[in-house]
Amino acid sequence: MDLQEIFITRFKQARKAKKLTQEQLGIAIGLDEFVASTRINRYEKGVHLPDLQTLARIAEVLEVSPAFFFAEEALAMNILIFKMNINEKKANI
């Protein structure tokens, strides 16, 4: 699997795990409601890739690390586990 395919797969996984529509995600990252769904759809189809600032906002909303979007399966799971542990520690403070 190439890097773009990995990104597409991880992006869809993360969005669906948060139970957000493409439009909801787009609006949550600050896109205009009239283009939100189309833009997120193009990211998921691999037509376009988000710039780094947009990727950071997407990762924040989806509660994953930006690295998650480019990680192979085993590494992606480790990233998610690490992120969950950090979130647990923050909640307990």
Side-chain angles (χ1 to χ4, degrees):
M1 200 175 339
D2 71 10
L3 195 58
Q4 187 168 2
E5 290 175 16
I6 292 170
F7 172 79
I8 291 167
T9 300
R10 297 280 171 260
F11 189 87
K12 286 180 188 176
Q13 285 175 340
R15 179 182 62 79
K16 289 180 179 183
K18 293 299 285 182
K19 297 181 176 152
L20 293 173
T21 65
Q22 292 175 340
E23 181 178 25
Q24 289 169 330
L25 175 57
I27 291 169
I29 66 167
L31 298 176
D32 184 271
E33 65 182 287
F34 297 107
V35 300
S37 180
T38 302
R39 178 84 60 88
I40 299 302
N41 181 271
R42 289 181 179 171
Y43 294 156
E44 287 188 3
K45 299 269 188 212
V47 175
H48 297 290
L49 289 175
D51 60 48
L52 293 177
Q53 288 179 322
T54 303
L55 182 65
R57 287 193 311 267
I58 291 168
E60 183 178 334
V61 169
L62 297 179
E63 297 181 356
V64 297
S65 164
F68 172 78
F69 295 114
F70 302 100
E72 301 264 353
E73 192 67 32
L75 180 57
M77 293 306 108
N78 286 333
I79 290 170
L80 288 178
I81 291 167
F82 180 76
K83 181 72 172 171
M84 287 176 8
N85 288 338
I86 288 175
N87 288 342
E88 263 183 43
K89 287 179 183 178
K90 285 181 182 177
N92 291 327
I93 293 178

